[in-house]
């Protein structure tokens, strides 16, 4: 049961990184791909209906850690207390910018909203990579490399998402942004994923890491060929596989000196959680799938 819940938590973090990854990328790229108020609305309109729903995955992941592995939850949040405070601050600043932007009219207020969106997106995207790299390798250059990897992945993923969801000049600039972002993402990914320590199944870990890098390269090639849909599938797959590699490296000891068995809640608690998860998780997935289906079309300038 402990291994099962470790996999569930890894799945929730994976969903968060895939879905919020392009949210962060779109927010960070806002000043680079949008020219003028109409194009900025077009860009932000691609994530407007979904960004807050995507954060449900973060709440679910943290909540599952608290319930299934309370020692992991407390150790994780206490060890990275300052970084987590900055993550929350970035999410708040970004959220306020996204929500407030539709309620203001003056140029100064709109500029403040845009600055909050960009700052929050860049900050949080970088910090998640830095936090998990620190968890794996400790402080030092690896932390910076982890932050650079997560930020560059978000930029690439967000740019590909914009090519899929927009038309006109924004789509062209997003394609260029994706190609430029790939120039940094690919070498950082090779360095970062190659350095992952071996977990319980090192062979599977290396397969996942290698496939993640192949998916990234395929995504870039597909962007070049203007196959936006398949390019998005490729970048999303790269994030899924990279996250799988990350949690594979963390297993069976997500915190130094503590295994999942030692950090787990009582068997009865895990059983109750399993029944709750069997009811709640399919509902979350179904609702979000419906949301993306409803808002699946490209956006023009508004």
């Amino acid at each position: 049961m402990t291994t099962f819940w470790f996999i569930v938590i890894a799945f929730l973090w994976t969903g968060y990184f895939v879905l919020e990854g392009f949210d962060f990328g779109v927010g960070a790229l806002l000043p680079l791909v949008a020219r003028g108020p109409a194009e900025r609305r077009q860009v932000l309109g691609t994530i407007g209906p979904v960004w807050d729903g995507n954060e449900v995955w973060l709440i679910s992941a943290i909540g599952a850690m608290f319930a299934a592995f309370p020692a992991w939850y407390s150790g994780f949040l206490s060890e990275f207390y300052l970084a987590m405070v900055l993550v929350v601050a970035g999410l708040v600043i970004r959220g306020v910018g996204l929500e407030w932007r539709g309620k203001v009219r003056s140029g100064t207020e709109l500029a403040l909203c845009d600055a909050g969106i960009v700052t929050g997106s860049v900050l949080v995207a970088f910090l998640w990579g830095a936090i998990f790299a620190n968890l794996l390798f400790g402080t030092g250059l690896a932390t910076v490399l982890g932050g650079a990897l997560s930020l560059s992945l978000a930029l690439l993923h967000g740019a590909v998402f914009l090519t899929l969801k927009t038309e006109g000049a924004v789509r062209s600039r997003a394609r260029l942004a994706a190609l430029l972002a790939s120039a940094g993402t690919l070498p950082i990914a090779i360095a970062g994923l190659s350095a992952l320590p071996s977990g319980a199944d090192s062979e599977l870990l290396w397969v996942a890491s290698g496939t993640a890098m192949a998916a990234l390269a395929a995504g870039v090639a597909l962007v070049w060929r203007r196959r936006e849909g398949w390019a998005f599938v490729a970048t999303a797959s790269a994030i899924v596989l990279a996250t799988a590699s990350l949690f594979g490296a963390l297993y069976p000891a997500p915190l130094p000196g503590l295994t999942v068995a030692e950090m787990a809640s009582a068997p009865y608690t895990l059983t109750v959680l399993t029944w709750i998860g069997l009811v709640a998780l399919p509902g979350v997935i179904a609702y979000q799938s419906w949301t993306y289906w409803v808002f699946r079309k490209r956006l023009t300038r508004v």
Side-chain angles (χ1 to χ4, degrees):
M1 195 67 86
T2 56
T3 300
F4 170 77
W5 271 99
F6 182 85
I7 293 172
V8 170
I9 290 169
F11 172 77
L12 293 171
W13 277 107
T14 300
Y16 174 69
F17 289 143
V18 170
L19 297 176
E20 278 284 86
F22 68 74
D23 275 1
F24 293 143
V26 169
L29 291 168
L30 178 63
L32 302 178
V33 298
R35 304 285 188 272
E39 289 187 352
R40 284 193 286 272
R41 287 194 298 270
Q42 181 185 7
V43 169
L44 295 177
T46 62
I47 62 172
V50 298
W51 72 268
D52 48 354
N54 292 342
E55 293 186 353
V56 170
W57 291 85
L58 174 62
I59 297 169
S60 300
I62 296 293
M65 289 173 65
F66 170 75
F69 301 102
W72 186 12
Y73 166 86
S74 60
F76 181 80
L77 294 186
S78 61
E79 184 175 354
F80 302 108
Y81 181 81
L82 177 59
M84 291 302 297
V85 168
L86 291 175
V87 165
V88 172
L91 291 174
V92 170
I93 292 170
R94 175 174 167 269
V96 170
L98 286 166
E99 291 292 335
W100 193 32
R101 199 180 193 284
K103 300 175 176 61
V104 298
R105 293 292 179 269
S106 77
T108 300
E109 290 174 321
L110 288 171
L112 285 173
C113 291
D114 291 347
I117 293 168
V118 174
T119 301
S121 298
V122 171
L123 178 65
V124 179
F126 179 86
L127 283 173
W128 281 130
I131 287 170
F132 280 99
N134 191 303
L135 191 62
L136 278 173
F137 302 106
T139 58
L141 182 60
T143 302
V144 178
L145 180 63
L149 175 58
S150 60
L151 177 57
S152 62
L153 278 172
L155 290 171
L156 176 58
H157 195 41
V160 172
F161 179 75
L162 283 174
T163 66
L164 181 64
K165 292 289 291 180
T166 59
E167 293 180 349
V170 169
R171 182 183 179 187
S172 299
R173 294 190 200 107
R175 178 176 178 271
L176 177 59
L179 294 173
L180 292 175
S182 68
T185 304
L186 289 172
I188 294 173
I190 292 171
L193 293 174
S194 299
L196 284 175
S198 297
D201 297 297
S202 57
E203 291 183 0
L204 290 176
L205 180 66
W206 284 110
V207 168
S209 300
T211 310
M213 290 184 274
L216 269 182
V220 175
L222 288 163
V223 169
W224 181 261
R225 296 186 61 186
R226 303 182 187 274
R227 302 291 297 275
E228 291 94 348
W230 285 111
F232 184 76
V233 171
T235 56
S237 299
I239 295 174
V240 169
L241 291 163
T243 308
S245 301
L246 167 66
F247 279 89
L250 288 174
Y251 186 82
L255 291 178
L258 288 174
T259 65
V260 289
E262 294 167 331
M263 295 186 294
S265 296
Y268 178 77
T269 302
L270 295 178
T271 301
V272 173
L273 284 175
T274 300
W275 285 108
I276 294 173
L278 288 174
V279 174
L281 191 57
V284 171
I285 295 173
Y287 172 76
Q288 286 219 295
S289 299
W290 175 80
T291 302
Y292 280 99
W293 175 256
V294 170
F295 296 101
R296 65 188 182 278
K297 294 184 177 179
R298 293 183 183 272
L299 293 183
T300 57
R301 291 179 61 176
V302 292

